[in-house]
Amino acid sequence: MPTITEQANSAFRDYEVPGVVLSGAHRPVPSEIRSLFGSIDASVKSTVVDAYGAVGDGVTNDTAAFTSAFASLPASGGVVLLTPGKSYYTTGLVIPPWCGIKGDRHLPTRFTTNTSTTFSGLGGIVVSSSGTIKLSAGSFIQELFIKRLGITFPVTDVTLFAGTAITMGGDDCRITGVTAVGFDAIVKIDPALTYLSRYIIDGLYGDGINGIIIDKPSFASSVIKDVQLWPFACQPNVTIGVLRRSGYGLYITGAQDDTWIDNIITYGFFRGVFLQATGQFNFGKVWCDYPSAFALGSGSIGLLATANVTAVTFGNLNIYGCEFGIVQQSNNTEWISVGQAHLAILAGSAVTSTGGDLRFDNIHIDNTKGFCFNFTNSGSRLFARGDVHTIASIAGYNSLGVLSLPSGAVDSFFDVDVTTDLPLASILHFTNTLNSVSIASGATISLPVAGDKFIITGSSNISAINIGWGGREIILKSIGGTASLVSGGNISLTEGNGYTFANGSSIHLAWDVVANLWRERWRSNQIVQFKQISAGVVTAVLPGLPIAADNAAAIAAGVPVNGLYRTAANVVQFRV
């Protein structure tokens, strides 16, 4: 059958794509197709599906023509080209290994913002609701428009969406520059597979009940980037309800070793991003949006991480309009880290956790109705830096506040430092008291693996502290206890051979991995002596006094206040 270089004086002379090099009336394989095959040159066979009897009217079943076109390609691979403007109907295609289909859908230059009317005249592939385009190992689709049979634009009833547009059925498959609308799912993985690795989704515009469903492990670097999952097929419909989807924008389960996901936009999905039993991969920029007028009571969540989700990082996470921003339901010690986060216009709490560890290096929360951080598991951990603005409570939601913690929460696990423009009384709200872990004194004490602040109780001497490692630093404090630390064993103190705790006193120790012991960094709130200094000369040594409340009587008595000491005569005294 004829190849693309043999199509002189045909309608394909007007087929123009980037990378085509003209040579008289002949057209070699486009350079971007060559790149998919590495070292394969222009001799790679390429053919046009019309040459095998395809009609391309959107009604006639062209499945057999595609099958014949693929059969004409060598085992080393090739590409089947579509005639621009034609719509090829199929009941389902299986693209052989290292083969592909290329259309003329150039994203986003031929896409009109916020309207589906331009879809009506687009050529591409029309798929029945019971069919799918299945990719085999190494196969690809490129610059292709795909729609479900029977869809007209703009769509006013999304219950008509059915079937799966694209099924990935083998390693190394690629989806590049594709628009697919009108399906229950835009991309799925063949259920017969146990894993799928090194797949690439690069440039995907999709409108379906579900977007991309990744439910198999990937054991080598896979890529999902430049994806917009948006109600394209329904616009410019002003009925906001039509713009919502009851499924998942991006659904990921199974180990994803070093998978990279970047520049993702989801709109209107019940779950913008859903993670389950997965980890060891990275997100770049993710944007999850939802029509805020429908958020209250919808149960919509921007990011939901369920059990066994760990070692997942986000570079930039933006969530708007959902009922809940981030919900973590993982096991404790399973972690998610976010570099930059912006959560806004939410009908409920911005961050909710029933278990797991969360870290936000810079989080901005505004216009949320509920808590900024709502934690119900005392074993969870939270680190957050950023700012909070304009929180408003409404019926059925938590009271106004930044932080809600469960009973038994400890300060070693919750580290929140945010600026805010909220009224003073609302800056930090705890539903329960935040305490440190208590450890009974004894000759040898053992610390929990997690945490860095601990309360020492009792009155025993402590000469050894277990569970130390390079880089670990701890703060030990007492509330009413009279225990002592003793130099020796694996404790080295800088001031004398002992340290006796008093009410409110504390000491900071760091583990010396070379000497294999704890070294004192500093101590505070200890009963000490003071040197009275006048004109640079020590004039007296005053008796030791404990730290007291910051009040006029304490100042007049020369009692230390906030680390700075003054007598009634205004002579500065420093602790030694």
Side-chain angles (χ1 to χ4, degrees):
M1 300 303 293
T3 67
I4 187 67
T5 59
E6 297 167 345
Q7 292 295 331
N9 301 316
S10 73
F12 303 105
R13 295 182 62 183
D14 295 324
Y15 180 68
E16 295 188 8
V17 295
V20 169
V21 179
L22 297 180
S23 177
H26 301 283
R27 298 176 183 270
V29 178
S31 61
E32 72 273 19
I33 297 300
R34 267 188 248 122
S35 69
L36 293 174
F37 296 95
S39 61
I40 303 297
D41 58 21
S43 63
V44 171
K45 190 170 184 180
S46 302
T47 191
V48 183
V49 69
D50 293 45
Y52 301 86
V55 177
D57 60 2
V59 178
T60 303
N61 189 346
D62 291 323
T63 304
F66 277 100
T67 301
S68 297
F70 289 130
S72 73
L73 301 175
S76 59
V79 58
V80 173
L81 302 173
L82 308 185
T83 303
K86 284 191 173 184
S87 292
Y88 299 88
Y89 168 60
T90 177
T91 54
L93 296 176
V94 177
I95 303 179
W98 309 108
C99 296
I101 298 175
K102 187 177 187 305
D104 69 333
R105 179 87 179 102
H106 302 288
L107 296 178
T109 56
R110 290 186 59 187
F111 181 76
T112 302
T113 304
N114 292 332
T115 180
S116 63
T117 55
T118 55
F119 288 161
S120 298
L122 285 180
I125 295 182
V126 180
V127 183
S128 69
S129 60
S130 60
T132 187
I133 299 175
K134 183 177 179 180
L135 304 178
S136 304
S139 64
F140 67 91
I141 53 176
Q142 183 178 8
E143 296 181 4
L144 191 62
F145 176 64
I146 307 169
K147 72 173 183 178
R148 192 186 71 76
L149 179 67
I151 291 293
T152 58
F153 305 105
V155 172
T156 57
D157 184 1
V158 296
T159 62
L160 297 175
F161 288 9
T164 300
I166 306 162
T167 299
M168 298 192 293
D171 292 345
D172 301 291
C173 58
R174 301 190 182 195
I175 301 168
T176 306
V178 170
T179 298
V181 297
F183 296 88
D184 177 72
I186 304 303
V187 178
K188 278 188 172 181
I189 295 176
D190 186 349
L193 298 179
T194 56
Y195 62 87
L196 182 74
S197 299
R198 299 182 304 277
Y199 59 85
I200 295 177
I201 301 174
D202 183 1
L204 175 65
Y205 283 42
D207 184 5
I209 299 299
N210 297 278
I212 299 174
I213 306 297
I214 304 297
D215 57 0
K216 306 292 181 183
S218 171
F219 297 120
S221 300
S222 297
V223 175
I224 303 174
K225 72 184 187 74
D226 297 338
V227 172
Q228 291 191 26
L229 302 170
W230 200 268
F232 295 117
C234 299
Q235 296 187 13
N237 198 309
V238 296
T239 304
I240 300 297
V242 177
L243 306 182
R244 292 185 293 166
R245 303 290 179 261
S246 60
Y248 304 89
L250 181 60
Y251 177 107
I252 299 178
T253 185
Q256 300 293 316
D257 292 351
D258 198 33
T259 292
W260 175 249
I261 303 173
D262 192 15
N263 198 23
I264 309 297
I265 298 177
T266 71
Y267 181 90
F269 289 94
F270 181 60
R271 302 285 185 260
V273 175
F274 176 84
L275 307 177
Q276 182 179 50
T278 187
Q280 307 297 331
F281 65 102
N282 307 299
F283 288 85
K285 183 179 73 173
V286 176
W287 183 306
C288 300
D289 210 334
Y290 193 87
S292 58
F294 288 84
L296 183 60
S298 69
S300 58
I301 299 173
L303 167 63
L304 174 59
T306 62
N308 303 313
V309 174
T310 190
V312 178
T313 64
F314 288 82
N316 191 315
L317 177 60
N318 302 273
I319 299 175
Y320 303 101
C322 301
E323 182 163 20
F324 303 101
I326 298 171
V327 175
Q328 184 185 38
Q329 300 171 343
S330 303
N331 302 309
N332 291 334
T333 74
E334 295 175 349
W335 60 268
I336 295 174
S337 178
V338 183
Q340 303 284 331
H342 186 195
L343 283 62
I345 319 175
L346 305 173
S349 292
V351 179
T352 301
S353 175
T354 61
D357 300 352
L358 282 171
R359 179 185 179 94
F360 299 95
D361 292 326
N362 187 7
I363 185 169
H364 176 85
I365 300 174
D366 64 295
N367 289 297
T368 183
K369 300 174 176 63
F371 284 109
C372 295
F373 304 99
N374 185 11
F375 280 68
T376 61
N377 188 321
S378 61
S380 298
R381 296 176 181 85
L382 171 65
F383 176 93
R385 298 292 184 267
D387 55 280
V388 172
H389 303 279
T390 319
I391 304 175
S393 61
I394 57 177
Y397 286 84
N398 293 318
S399 302
L400 178 68
V402 173
L403 182 62
S404 175
L405 297 176
S407 176
V410 296
D411 54 9
S412 295
F413 288 5
F414 296 93
D415 186 352
V416 178
D417 186 357
V418 295
T419 60
T420 181
D421 62 356
L422 300 179
L424 182 61
S426 304
I427 289 178
L428 195 60
H429 177 84
F430 297 103
T431 52
N432 287 284
T433 302
L434 185 64
N435 295 313
S436 296
V437 174
S438 294
I439 299 175
S441 59
T444 299
I445 63 172
S446 295
L447 304 176
V449 173
D452 58 5
K453 299 182 182 68
F454 307 100
I455 295 176
I456 303 300
T457 62
S459 57
S460 301
N461 291 337
I462 302 169
S463 58
I465 302 174
N466 292 335
I467 318 297
W469 58 80
R472 189 175 197 188
E473 298 188 15
I474 59 173
I475 296 175
L476 306 179
K477 60 183 179 181
S478 173
I479 302 177
T482 59
S484 297
L485 293 181
V486 180
S487 282
N490 68 348
I491 301 174
S492 175
L493 302 176
T494 59
E495 299 183 24
N497 294 321
Y499 174 86
T500 300
F501 289 97
N503 187 26
S505 64
S506 61
I507 188 169
H508 184 172
L509 305 176
W511 181 256
D512 183 337
V513 69
V514 176
N516 204 35
L517 53 76
W518 294 98
R519 293 193 183 277
E520 179 182 350
R521 294 289 299 274
W522 52 257
R523 61 179 71 183
S524 66
N525 298 9
Q526 176 75 324
I527 299 178
V528 297
Q529 290 182 325
F530 307 99
K531 291 179 180 179
Q532 181 170 304
I533 303 172
S534 177
V537 178
V538 177
T539 59
V541 176
L542 305 181
L545 296 170
I547 281 185
D550 188 356
N551 54 52
I555 294 174
V559 176
V561 177
N562 295 332
L564 179 64
Y565 314 96
R566 295 181 180 274
T567 65
N570 204 33
V571 177
V572 178
Q573 301 170 345
F574 296 91
R575 185 181 63 189
V576 295

